[in-house]
């Protein structure tokens, strides 16, 4: 069984522990997964898209590769290969695919990102070296999708998407009446090509955005009317279309999820370097890489928008306490962006290494040349934003220290006012105490001298304790030490 293989391999690769835990969970009674097969025939320019029932996957995997099992537009054609697009894969589907195709567990583990890093398990993306990546027949693409929520009344900082693989959604503070969320997403592409057999490609993607969320750790209940939409209307289309005066909804469908987008793009045209007889991992990864690059563009827009908001929110308002609280919030957010940018740059660099490696092993191709330029641009732009964020940290820290100093000056002024008031009330208290003495101790009485005999020594002792004479103490200490040494 595939589960037994993962258990044996995790002894040598501890990063597979999270995958093994997921496979050991009970199979879902209602599978959330969605599977679409793209069948490629020898003479068809566009693949044939078919929805496959989740519980009928075994029959699909065991089907023959000739035209009798799969209906083609031209009778008698032979299927060259197929691309399985799987949305929100379940542990049951993982086991079926892993057993049938003997898939490397690292492929599934690279897709299953943890919402929070745990000290007991490691993520495969963090323990894979570049030399190891070149030998893999799959490509994991981790990215963030930007969302827009209505203004949050509850102090939520994060949520979880309610799906088979719970992705974390980080909520940024409200800016200009809207709350922006950064949702974890992942897309993994695998190619299995054996001699004299039809090739098989597997693409694991996350489901489309819905309003179904769960509370994250240390968070309360999620509001019932939680509504989210893609930020800025979603990512931009990267395909250049021929100009036309007539709208064509088949060319411009609304972007819902990456699965539907992949079906649409493959239905329009295949990448330039795609060979239906012997495709490469790079050719079937072209469209996922372009879609992820479009999502990174929106991510960079959020960074730019956040930097502008932090700069504007650092202006003086006159209320020291409010200014200090705002700066402390900005400082925490900047620290969060610092960690987030480091992770983002690592993800983009991995994609660049993949594109560079396969570009060197392919014929000169404008598509991949442009793809490499896109990711290099994203790396540079996000790096520039990271420098601006990094430069703001010491500025905010200095502003916090400055406001703290201003608060100290204000408190010192308040203490000075209290001292002045004490100078007024202390004589009054003295006079009141003087007139409250009994007959024998009041001024002119026979025992009035006792007041000075007691008060003066006490004042002297209190004065010495409050501000001891350092010179006299040092002199006495030297004489004391000299006496005992003698």
């Amino acid at each position: 069984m595939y589960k037994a293989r993962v258990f044996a391999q995790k002894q040598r690769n501890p990063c597979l522990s999270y995958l093994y835990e997921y496979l050991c969970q009970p199979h879902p009674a209602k599978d959330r997964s969605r599977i679409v097969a793209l069948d490629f025939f020898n003479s068809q320019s566009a693949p044939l898209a078919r929805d496959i029932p989740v519980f009928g996957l075994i029959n699909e995997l065991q089907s023959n590769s000739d035209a009798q099992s799969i209906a083609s537009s031209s009778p008698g054609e032979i299927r060259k290969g197929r691309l399985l697009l799987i949305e929100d894969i379940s542990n049951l589907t993982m086991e079926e695919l892993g057993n049938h195709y003997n898939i490397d567990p690292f492929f599934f583990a690279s897709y299953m990102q943890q919402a929070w890093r745990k000290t007991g398990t490691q993520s495969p993306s963090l323990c894979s070296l570049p030399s190891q990546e070149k030998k893999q027949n799959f490509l994991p693409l981790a990215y963030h999708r930007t969302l827009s929520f209505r203004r949050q009344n509850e102090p939520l900082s994060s949520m979880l998407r309610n799906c088979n693989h719970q992705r974390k959604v980080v909520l940024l503070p409200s800016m200009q009446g809207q709350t922006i969320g950064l949702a974890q997403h992942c897309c993994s592409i695998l190619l299995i090509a054996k001699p004299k057999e039809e090739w098989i490609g597997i693409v694991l993607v996350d489901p489309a955005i819905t309003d179904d969320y769960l509370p994250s750790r240390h968070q309360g209940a999620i509001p019932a009317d939680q509504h989210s939409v893609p930020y800025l209307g979603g990512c931009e289309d990267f395909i250049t279309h021929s100009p036309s005066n007539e709208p064509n909804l088949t060319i411009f469908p609304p972007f819902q999820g990456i699965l539907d987008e992949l079906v649409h793009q493959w239905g329009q045209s295949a990448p330039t370097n795609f060979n239906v007889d012997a495709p490469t991992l790079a050719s079937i990864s072209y469209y996922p890489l372009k879609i992820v690059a479009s999502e990174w563009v929106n991510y960079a827009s959020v960074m730019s928008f956040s930097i502008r908001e932090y700069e504007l929110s650092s202006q003086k308002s006159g209320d020291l306490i409010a200014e200090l609280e705002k700066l402390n919030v900005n400082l925490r957010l900047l620290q969060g962006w610092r960690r987030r940018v480091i992770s983002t740059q690592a993800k983009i660099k991995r994609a660049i290494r993949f594109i560079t490696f396969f570009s060197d092993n392919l014929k000169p191709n404008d598509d991949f040349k442009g793809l490499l330029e896109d990711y290099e641009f994203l790396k540079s732009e996000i790096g520039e934003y990271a420098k601006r964020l990094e430069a703001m940290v010491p500025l905010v820290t200095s502003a916090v220290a400055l406001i703290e100093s201003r608060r100290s000056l204000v408190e010192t002024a308040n203490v000075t006012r209290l001292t002045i008031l004490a100078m007024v009330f202390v004589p009054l208290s003295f006079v009141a105490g003087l007139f409250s003495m009994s007959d024998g101790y009041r001024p002119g009485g026979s025992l009035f001298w006792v007041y000075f005999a007691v008060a003066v020594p006490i004042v002297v002792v209190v004065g010495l304790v409050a501000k001891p004479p350092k010179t006299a103490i040092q002199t006495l200490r030297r004489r004391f030490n000299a006496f005992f040494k003698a």
Side-chain angles (χ1 to χ4, degrees), residues 298-327:
N298 282 5
Y299 181 86
S301 300
V302 172
M303 291 186 65
S304 176
F305 187 46
S306 299
I307 292 173
R308 178 175 174 273
E309 286 296 316
Y310 297 152
E311 292 173 346
L312 293 177
S313 63
S314 299
Q315 298 177 356
K316 296 181 180 179
S317 62
D319 188 348
L320 294 181
I321 297 179
E323 287 184 26
L324 185 61
E325 181 64 25
K326 186 183 296 183
L327 288 174

Side-chain angles (χ1 to χ4, degrees), residues 266-338:
W266 278 106
Q268 294 297 312
S269 62
T272 305
N273 64 335
F274 177 75
N275 182 1
V276 69
D277 294 316
T280 61
L281 178 60
S283 62
I284 66 173
S285 301
Y286 175 75
Y287 285 136
L289 283 167
K290 292 293 288 187
I291 295 173
V292 171
S294 300
E295 295 288 358
W296 282 127
V297 171
N298 282 5
Y299 181 86
S301 300
V302 172
M303 291 186 65
S304 176
F305 187 46
S306 299
I307 292 173
R308 178 175 174 273
E309 286 296 316
Y310 297 152
E311 292 173 346
L312 293 177
S313 63
S314 299
Q315 298 177 356
K316 296 181 180 179
S317 62
D319 188 348
L320 294 181
I321 297 179
E323 287 184 26
L324 185 61
E325 181 64 25
K326 186 183 296 183
L327 288 174
N328 285 328
V329 170
N330 287 348
L331 186 59
R332 290 194 297 269
L333 293 174
L334 288 172
Q335 295 290 349
W337 270 114
R338 175 188 290 177

Side-chain angles (χ1 to χ4, degrees), residues 164-231:
N164 288 332
H165 306 278
Q166 294 177 348
R167 308 298 194 191
K168 182 173 63 173
V169 181
V170 176
L171 299 178
L172 303 178
S174 295
M175 294 179 288
Q176 297 184 4
Q178 67 173 340
T179 299
I180 299 176
L182 303 176
Q184 291 178 337
H185 272 65
C186 189
C187 173
S188 294
I189 306 100
L190 170 72
L191 176 64
I192 303 174
K194 297 180 180 180
K196 299 181 180 180
E197 294 184 12
E198 68 173 22
W199 57 268
I200 178 72
I202 300 176
V203 182
L204 306 181
V205 298
D206 285 347
I209 296 297
T210 61
D211 297 336
D212 192 3
Y213 296 98
L214 298 174
S216 62
R217 59 179 185 179
H218 311 307
Q219 295 287 346
I222 300 296
D225 58 344
Q226 194 66 249
H227 180 62
S228 59
V229 295
Y231 177 65

Side-chain angles (χ1 to χ4, degrees), residues 417-485:
R417 295 190 189 96
L418 292 176
T419 304
I420 295 173
L421 291 175
M423 292 175 62
V424 175
F425 285 99
V426 166
L428 297 177
S429 300
F430 172 75
V431 173
L434 194 64
F435 281 97
S436 65
M437 292 181 178
S438 60
D439 294 339
Y441 296 98
R442 67 173 49 186
S446 59
L447 299 176
F448 182 62
W449 61 272
V450 176
Y451 171 77
F452 294 99
V454 175
V456 172
I458 292 177
V459 171
V460 173
V461 171
V462 171
L464 292 175
V465 172
K467 192 174 182 181
K470 296 182 180 180
T471 305
I473 292 176
Q474 292 176 356
T475 302
L476 291 175
R477 184 179 297 172
R478 286 196 301 268
R479 291 181 179 180
F480 185 78
N481 293 334
F483 175 78
F484 278 97
K485 287 182 180 179

Side-chain angles (χ1 to χ4, degrees), residues 7-181:
F7 175 78
Q9 191 168 342
K10 80 180 183 70
Q11 309 301 320
R12 299 285 297 178
N13 302 109
C15 63
L16 299 178
S17 300
Y18 188 65
L19 171 62
Y20 179 73
E21 294 176 2
Y22 180 69
L23 293 177
C24 291
Q25 294 179 6
H27 294 161
K30 183 179 179 181
D31 203 324
R32 300 171 179 264
S33 303
R34 178 188 169 198
I35 305 176
V36 175
L38 299 180
D39 298 308
F40 293 84
F41 295 87
N42 51 4
S43 65
Q44 283 185 318
S45 58
L48 178 64
R50 300 179 295 112
D51 287 323
I52 299 177
V54 176
F55 295 102
L57 180 61
I58 290 294
N59 296 331
E60 171 67 23
L61 298 179
Q62 295 175 350
S63 64
N64 297 325
S65 61
D66 56 12
Q68 296 178 355
S69 59
I70 303 297
S72 172
S73 59
S74 300
E77 288 192 352
I78 298 177
R79 187 175 63 186
K80 297 294 184 178
R82 55 184 165 180
L83 197 61
L84 292 179
L85 309 178
I86 306 177
E87 183 181 85
D88 200 16
I89 187 171
S90 64
N91 52 2
L92 175 61
T93 306
M94 279 187 180
E95 287 192 66
E96 292 176 349
L97 289 173
N99 282 326
H100 188 80
Y101 291 112
N102 193 23
I103 296 176
D104 185 356
F106 274 92
F107 169 65
F108 294 121
S110 64
Y111 172 75
M112 295 177 53
Q113 288 190 346
Q114 303 177 29
W116 282 274
R117 294 181 182 177
K118 300 179 181 179
T119 57
T121 57
Q122 176 71 295
S123 174
S125 61
L126 298 178
C127 58
S128 297
L129 297 174
S131 59
Q132 183 182 1
E133 295 174 2
K134 294 179 180 179
K135 301 176 183 178
Q136 295 172 344
N137 62 338
F138 62 89
L139 170 65
L141 295 173
Y143 62 100
H144 283 87
R145 191 171 188 195
T146 54
L147 305 175
S148 179
F149 294 81
R150 65 182 63 179
R151 182 185 290 272
Q152 297 286 334
N153 296 323
E154 294 78 5
L156 294 175
S157 60
S158 62
M159 299 183 297
L160 293 175
R161 296 192 62 196
N162 188 13
C163 48
N164 288 332
H165 306 278
Q166 294 177 348
R167 308 298 194 191
K168 182 173 63 173
V169 181
V170 176
L171 299 178
L172 303 178
S174 295
M175 294 179 288
Q176 297 184 4
Q178 67 173 340
T179 299
I180 299 176

